[in-house]
Amino acid sequence: MPKKPDFQILIQELTFKTSRSGGKGGQHVNKVSSKVELIWDINQTAACDEHQKQLIIQKLANRIDKEGLLHIVVDDDRSQHRNKELAIKKLFKLVKESLIEEKPRKSTKPSKAAVHKRLESKKKQALKKINRNITWD
């Protein structure tokens, strides 16, 4: 089983940017920077090995910019501290989900009985439709 990334190291590597956020809060929202942008440099991280980095880059490609930085923006809450917590949780969830490797599909073929049953039902259906077209003069 592959080792899990070290989330303690990952937290230390994060960079946060804050800005003013729209939404609820009234006059207070115009004074406080509650919107949080979490930035993580995947290529320079020590929290993951090379295989894990490649999986993360492959699965989160639409969220990563040209410099290899993962951006997560959160402005759900009025509190900057709470938004930071939400951004970190969101990052952890994304990393865990991107490290799950899908098992390759094993192709199978239907049994002889299943093939026979399908062909028989097709014949019955065809006969039913043919009988509808017969005119009794």
Side-chain angles (χ1 to χ4, degrees), residues 18-115:
T18 58
S19 60
R20 290 188 182 150
S21 172
K24 57 189 176 187
Q27 294 174 341
H28 182 69
V29 81
N30 299 325
K31 297 183 234 173
V32 180
S33 298
S34 61
K35 181 188 227 177
V36 174
E37 181 180 6
L38 178 148
I39 302 168
W40 180 42
D41 189 352
I42 297 171
N43 295 322
Q44 303 300 321
T45 186
C48 304
D49 60 29
E50 287 302 315
H51 178 68
Q52 290 172 334
K53 286 181 191 179
Q54 292 305 316
L55 278 174
I56 293 169
I57 290 170
Q58 180 184 354
K59 297 225 178 137
L60 301 178
N62 59 338
R63 293 177 170 263
I64 300 171
D65 63 10
K66 292 176 184 172
E67 290 84 38
L69 302 176
L70 176 72
H71 296 267
I72 296 175
V73 179
V74 178
D75 62 350
D76 298 346
D77 204 276
R78 293 184 192 190
S79 162
Q80 184 187 102
H81 181 71
R82 178 75 180 127
N83 282 336
K84 276 187 183 179
E85 289 176 1
L86 290 171
I88 292 170
K89 284 182 182 178
K90 197 171 187 178
L91 173 69
F92 287 174
K93 182 180 176 190
L94 284 171
V95 169
K96 284 178 184 175
E97 288 174 356
S98 65
L99 292 177
I100 296 172
E101 293 188 57
E102 294 179 14
K103 295 177 185 175
R105 182 185 176 278
K106 294 180 184 174
S107 59
T108 59
K109 63 182 195 180
S111 66
K112 286 188 177 182
V115 171

